[in-house]
Amino acid sequence: MPDRTTYLVLPGYQSSGPAHWQTRWEEADPAAFVRVRQEDWEYPDPDSWVAVLDAAIAAAAADGPVVLVAHSLGCVAVARWAASAPAGRTAAVRGALLVAPADIDNADVPALVGFRPVARERLPFPSLVVSSTDDPWITAERARGFAEAWGARYVEPGAHGHLNADSGLGDWPEGRELLAEL
C-alpha cells in the first residue's frame, strides 16, 4: 500500500469555526485533513502548542508524508516548531501552506505574548505564505518579510481580510490550488 499524505490542519487563536475553509477542507476529506487539537485555544501556551504539533507530526509521519495547513497563530506555531525541531522530524514535512500569519510581535492581545518574538529562521521544507492586502492582523509588508525569512514563496490574493470565515471564502478553491502546488 503506498504512503498517503496527511494534511495537518493548524488553526490559529480561538480555533477555526464551522464556516472556516480549514474546517470545510477537513469535512470534505476527513481521512486526509486532520486537525491538530490544542489543549487551550483561548490562552495558548507556545510550548504546549509546539509539543502538540510535534506529536501530531510524529504520529502522521508513521503513515507517510505530512503537509502542514496553518492559519494565523498556527503559522507562528509552525515557525516556532521548525526552529527547534530535530532534522529527522522536519524531514517528515513535505511542505507548509501558511495562510494569514499573525504578527504577534505587534498584536495587542495579552493571551498571545508568549509567542513573541515570531521565529524567523528559514523553514527546512517548501512553504507558501498567503496574506491579504487588508489583513487586520498583519501588514502586507510584514507578511512579505515573514515569507522571505522563512524561505517561502509569497502570494497576495488581494483584499480578503484575515482569510478566514469572515472573508466569505467558502471552501476556498484558490487555497486548494495553492496547496496542490506544494
Side-chain angles (χ1 to χ4, degrees):
M1 172 185 249
D3 289 342
R4 68 174 174 83
T5 299
T6 299
Y7 298 90
L8 289 179
V9 177
L10 299 126
Y13 177 52
Q14 300 178 331
S15 194
S16 295
H20 196 287
W21 58 267
Q22 284 183 314
T23 305
R24 290 171 177 245
W25 290 7
E26 290 172 64
E27 290 172 349
D29 191 353
F33 288 87
V34 178
R35 182 169 296 208
V36 176
R37 302 207 178 274
Q38 298 294 348
E39 294 174 19
D40 192 341
W41 295 106
E42 299 297 318
Y43 299 96
D45 173 70
D47 294 334
S48 173
W49 274 43
V50 166
V52 168
L53 173 56
D54 189 64
I57 291 169
D63 294 329
V66 176
V67 174
L68 306 176
V69 181
H71 181 261
S72 193
L73 187 62
C75 301
V76 176
V78 167
R80 188 181 202 88
W81 168 80
S84 62
R89 184 82 81 233
T90 60
V93 177
R94 297 293 170 84
L97 179 64
L98 305 169
V99 180
D103 186 1
I104 300 307
D105 295 336
N106 294 307
D108 188 21
V109 181
L112 305 181
V113 297
F115 283 87
R116 292 178 181 166
V118 174
R120 296 178 65 105
E121 287 81 7
R122 185 175 186 83
L123 298 176
F125 39 78
S127 55
L128 184 74
V129 170
V130 184
S131 189
S132 173
T133 56
D134 64 347
D135 189 327
W137 282 89
I138 192 167
T139 65
E141 178 183 9
R142 188 87 160 135
R144 281 191 296 276
F146 284 170
E148 183 177 330
W150 295 337
R153 188 164 74 90
Y154 180 72
V155 174
E156 197 174 83
H160 295 287
H162 196 46
L163 295 167
N164 56 12
D166 292 341
S167 300
L169 300 172
D171 293 337
W172 197 33
E174 298 85 359
R176 289 295 292 258
E177 289 173 14
L178 293 170
L179 181 61
E181 291 179 19
L182 287 171

